Amino acid sequence: TSGPWFLESEGPGIVDLQYVSHVERMAASVAYWKGDTLRGGRWKHIDAWFEAFEQRPSYSASRSDWYTHANDIPPQYGNGVDDGSKEQQTIRRALDGGDAAWRLPLPPLSSSDAPSDKLQPGWGAFEQDAPYEAAYHVLENLENVARFAARGAGKEGGWSFMRPDRARLADPYAKPAEGVVLEKVQEALLVIGACLVGDCDTSVDVSS
């Protein structure tokens, strides 16, 4: 068509809406498991299609990140197969928390070299407000978020035992750690919230 959409229209149609979430997950999966990319110039119409979606606040507010995509598919369909290339290993380590996009202070998107940022364009318009939104939602739900995060040090409930279709950390029967561990998790979340809005207090010790 003359525009970015599957059909001649001023906005996305039923075909675009049907496919966009699937292609979004494909883009994340081929990068994570194969070290390849769908975006970046090889297929200009796919680039234009995503860019058109990213101009729409409704899409940007509902799209997911590649870490989530890469890790929520295996419990449903099974793990992908690493191709073992240097590119694939670099991208996987980055998306799993190994690059600067996972560490505070966050690098500006416009100048970030972190694969997690470079491979997932379209977030720049929300960069200024995003830290405040994240801090608000974490701190508004501090008790529940802390208990959820403390489940990794608590007791599993058997939700995923012999069930590869179920994510271990989504176990509804898991018991979160209590006591000092839970207190430290809450302290850590408070520090993260402060850092997100630019008021880090590095004197707080949450390591013990």
Side-chain angles (χ1 to χ4, degrees), residues 173-185:
Y173 308 115
K175 304 297 183 183
E178 302 284 352
V180 174
V181 172
L182 183 58
E183 292 175 6
K184 289 297 182 180
V185 170

Side-chain angles (χ1 to χ4, degrees), residues 6 24 55-56 111 115 130 169 179 185 206:
F6 271 87
E24 190 180 302
Q55 298 301 312
R56 307 180 69 85
S111 59
L169 292 181
V185 170
V206 295

